[in-house]
Amino acid sequence: MALRSLPSPRPRRPLLRRAAGLLGTAVLTLAGTLTAAAPAHADFGSGYHDPITATKPLTRPDTRSCTVEVMHDREFRNGYGNPPDTPYTTSVTPPADCAGPWSAVVLDLHGQVAGRQFDRIFSARIGGVQVLLSSTPEPSQDGIQWNVERDLTRYAPLFAAGPQPFSLDLANVTDATYTGVYKLSASLTFYTADDRWPAAHGADQVLTTGAFSLTQAAPASTGDVTFPRNLERLTAELYARGGGACEEFAYAAAPDAFVAANPSIGACGKGPFRELRLTVDGRVAGAVWPYPVIYTGGWDPLLWRPVPGVFAFDLPAYRLDLTPYVGLLLDGRPHRLGVTVNATEAQSNDVWTGQLNLFAEVDHGTARTSGQLTDYRVAPEAAVTTRLADHGGGSGSGDWTVTAARHDLARGWVQTSHGRITTEVRDDLAFSSAQQLRDSGNDVTLHNDADLTRATSTWGGGPHRTTTVHEGEPLDVTYKVSRDAAGNTDQNTAMNLGYHRAATTATGGHVTERSTVDHTLRPTARRHDGDRTVRTGSSTEDYRSTGPDGPYHRTLAFVDGWPAP
């Protein structure tokens, strides 16, 4: 998705969580100095540049197209009213003038907001299937506008089935202080196919187990799905995000032992590692380690004006290849698919929400396939190691390193009309988090990284084919609040966020496809109060990619909400 910008409604968060004046409390308290500044339009005067990102826009076919508007200037004021004004629901029908199959289907959204408001999470669903998970920017007094484009081509089977319900869920809250009303419009564009832009190849059916909500008290959610008896390939897609005063910032949480030894600072526990496991009939079939998404109110809103954090307007839909398990799903009976989380905070508003979608490809040459899972070496949970140095005395100071690893393999075959196809999926995942916390959370250094390699190989019915995807997800944070003898306070925040991806496909031992993404964002923010008032922020974003459409590169630099001179 490109920011030209918008998951289940965001749980209501305590207003204190983003309130000012938390100096001297822990960075991970209920309110949290992670969000030490309330959304205040005065920080850069009454306005700043509309949200913008350096990420690559979608490549759209130049074929004949038809656009269907599904929502026009819909206002979201109070998602907790009686009745609430969310979700917005309607139906969408592909236009007869652009009947499928399609080369592409794109969702375009336009948003605008003015005044004062928190960032809000929202989602879009079509036919009950989640197709978008995003968040809103925080506004200026004068107002901002933003756009998002989302490639929905892989959900084309939903549209091919006829009219579908459409819903967009955005739970906003307005009052005398938080005045910003989010106004959104949405449309779907269907692109016809031709020789140059052929119909997209994808799944034959898109299924879902529905939305889930995971807490420490209820860490698992399951749903029953019946699969086609001629199933050949199966891919899972998981939308997920942590919400609440602690789980939104799980990547910066402290080990439980440190929390217990330093109760006065109110730090969030369970450590910085989160793992969402996908199960098939109770068997762990894969794991997702969520990206540390930071929204436009996170840590300090000045960091994100106007460039949002990596994936803030495009929360990832994590994909897992379940084809090795197809042989277990061909009996025409319901099978239980589940999602579980390894550990979460027990606070009442901390939760992981999302939805599991399933993309089924069938063998059109036979009414029934058969298969078998032949090799299964998937760990029930990641191996996690924690090393903690507590500086003692309840001082609120300590160092810790948390590492996690997975090395999984699953292999299975499916007997199809075009031969026996064997699929092997290997996952080699590594995570590390090194944190230093001083002065009860007023001095924080954080260095996280995830190194994720997933490889899928197939053979039989054609040449051996291997697709390998390697992802790197670094996050560095320095945060410090100081107070001098005169009572002046100074708060400085600096970050380095990244997402790096390299994907290759080898056929018959020769690399036939290759693509890369290198995305980095370096924002800073400073607040000084006392003898003078300073509110300043800057950001530099660099995005590079290669692939079938050729190379792309863009760099943005902003100071105090406007392009750097």
Side-chain angles (χ1 to χ4, degrees):
M1 181 176 72
L3 178 66
R4 273 203 356 159
S5 157
L6 293 180
S8 50
R10 193 170 200 172
R12 198 185 327 209
R13 295 173 292 182
L15 294 185
L16 179 62
R17 180 182 160 285
R18 296 191 187 274
L22 295 175
L23 308 182
T25 61
V27 75
L28 293 174
T29 62
L30 174 63
T33 55
L34 287 176
T35 51
H41 53 260
D43 290 323
F44 292 149
S46 62
Y48 58 88
H49 193 286
D50 289 342
I52 186 172
T53 179
T55 56
K56 183 181 179 181
L58 291 179
T59 299
R60 303 192 184 214
D62 58 7
T63 61
R64 182 169 51 88
S65 64
C66 303
T67 298
V68 178
E69 187 175 59
V70 293
M71 184 169 65
H72 181 74
D73 284 350
R74 171 72 180 192
E75 292 187 345
F76 294 88
R77 294 177 178 271
N78 193 347
Y80 304 95
N82 188 18
D85 63 8
T86 190
Y88 168 81
T89 60
T90 186
S91 62
V92 57
T93 302
D97 289 346
C98 292
W102 303 281
S103 56
V105 181
V106 176
L107 171 67
D108 286 289
L109 298 109
H110 174 77
Q112 53 187 309
V113 61
R116 193 176 194 179
Q117 193 51 264
F118 292 118
D119 52 340
R120 303 291 181 181
I121 296 291
F122 67 95
S123 62
R125 289 178 172 83
I126 296 174
V129 173
Q130 185 158 2
V131 299
L132 174 67
L133 180 62
S134 185
S135 69
T136 64
E138 293 192 351
S140 68
Q141 180 65 28
D142 289 348
I144 56 173
Q145 300 185 49
W146 79 104
N147 299 281
V148 65
E149 54 180 7
R150 175 70 163 168
D151 187 347
L152 301 189
T153 309
R154 65 181 179 274
Y155 304 103
L158 298 173
F159 302 111
Q164 295 290 328
F166 172 92
S167 68
L168 192 142
D169 203 347
L170 193 166
N172 193 19
V173 175
T174 57
D175 55 28
T177 302
Y178 300 99
T179 58
V181 175
Y182 287 103
K183 185 183 292 186
L184 301 180
S185 298
S187 64
L188 287 160
T189 301
F190 297 83
Y191 294 87
T192 59
D194 62 14
D195 291 341
R196 188 164 165 266
W197 294 93
H201 173 74
D204 297 282
Q205 294 184 28
V206 182
L207 310 167
T208 183
T209 59
F212 63 78
S213 179
L214 309 177
T215 65
Q216 189 180 100
S221 175
T222 60
D224 290 341
V225 180
T226 301
F227 295 94
R229 303 194 76 167
N230 60 342
L231 183 65
E232 183 173 339
R233 295 196 60 83
L234 183 65
T235 304
E237 172 186 76
L238 185 67
Y239 288 92
R241 51 86 56 173
C246 285
E247 286 308 292
E248 180 175 326
F249 305 99
Y251 57 85
D256 281 348
F258 181 82
V259 175
N262 297 270
S264 64
I265 69 172
C268 296
K270 302 303 175 187
F273 175 68
R274 295 295 180 271
E275 176 177 80
L276 295 167
R277 303 166 191 139
L278 176 60
T279 61
V280 177
D281 291 330
R283 185 198 312 254
V284 175
V288 165
W289 295 358
Y291 186 89
V293 178
I294 305 175
Y295 308 109
T296 56
W299 291 76
D300 188 326
L302 301 182
L303 296 164
W304 320 114
R305 296 179 176 172
V307 181
V310 175
F311 295 128
F313 291 172
D314 180 17
L315 275 75
Y318 304 97
R319 295 174 72 83
L320 297 172
D321 194 328
L322 300 183
T323 305
Y325 304 91
V326 164
L328 307 176
L329 308 173
L330 300 172
D331 55 9
R333 299 174 181 173
H335 290 267
R336 182 146 294 186
L337 278 291
V339 179
T340 185
V341 64
N342 65 327
T344 64
E345 273 292 337
Q347 296 188 43
S348 60
N349 67 339
D350 277 312
V351 64
W352 282 86
T353 56
Q355 188 158 338
L356 174 64
N357 299 329
L358 299 156
F359 296 83
E361 299 178 47
V362 302
D363 182 355
H364 294 277
T366 183
R368 293 195 59 174
T369 54
S370 60
Q372 185 177 348
L373 177 66
T374 57
D375 196 351
Y376 174 78
R377 287 175 272 168
V378 179
E381 60 186 41
V384 181
T385 301
T386 300
R387 294 181 176 85
L388 170 64
D390 189 337
H391 295 181
S395 62
S397 296
D399 303 335
W400 54 86
T401 301
V402 177
T403 60
R406 265 191 177 275
H407 303 284
D408 298 333
L409 180 147
R411 183 188 303 125
W413 56 263
V414 179
Q415 189 66 45
T416 72
S417 62
H418 43 277
R420 175 172 290 191
I421 310 299
T422 298
T423 300
E424 178 183 277
V425 175
R426 288 179 176 267
D427 291 342
D428 292 289
L429 316 180
F431 168 85
S432 65
S433 176
Q435 301 186 47
Q436 296 178 347
L437 190 145
R438 302 288 185 272
D439 189 21
S440 296
N442 286 315
D443 187 349
V444 178
T445 301
L446 165 70
H447 174 71
N448 285 6
D449 199 9
D451 190 282
L452 316 175
T453 301
R454 302 182 189 270
T456 298
S457 299
T458 59
W459 58 91
H464 190 120
R465 179 183 174 92
T466 299
T467 298
T468 303
V469 177
H470 176 251
E471 296 170 294
E473 301 175 349
L475 170 63
D476 294 289
V477 181
T478 58
Y479 170 90
K480 187 171 184 178
V481 180
S482 59
R483 186 188 301 270
D484 64 22
N488 301 304
T489 61
D490 210 55
Q491 174 181 307
N492 289 274
T493 310
M495 292 191 178
N496 188 341
L497 303 84
Y499 176 73
H500 308 283
R501 184 180 190 271
T504 59
T505 297
T507 304
H510 301 283
V511 174
T512 54
E513 298 176 33
R514 188 191 306 272
S515 63
T516 62
V517 170
D518 287 291
H519 187 187
T520 58
L521 175 60
R522 297 180 177 88
T524 66
R526 184 192 178 204
R527 294 174 182 270
H528 180 91
D529 290 289
D531 53 4
R532 67 192 188 284
T533 299
V534 176
R535 301 285 187 268
T536 187
S538 66
S539 61
T540 301
E541 183 183 33
D542 187 82
Y543 186 94
R544 300 169 183 263
S545 65
T546 63
D549 299 329
Y552 176 87
H553 181 211
R554 189 181 186 189
T555 299
L556 298 175
F558 282 81
V559 176
D560 293 346
W562 297 100

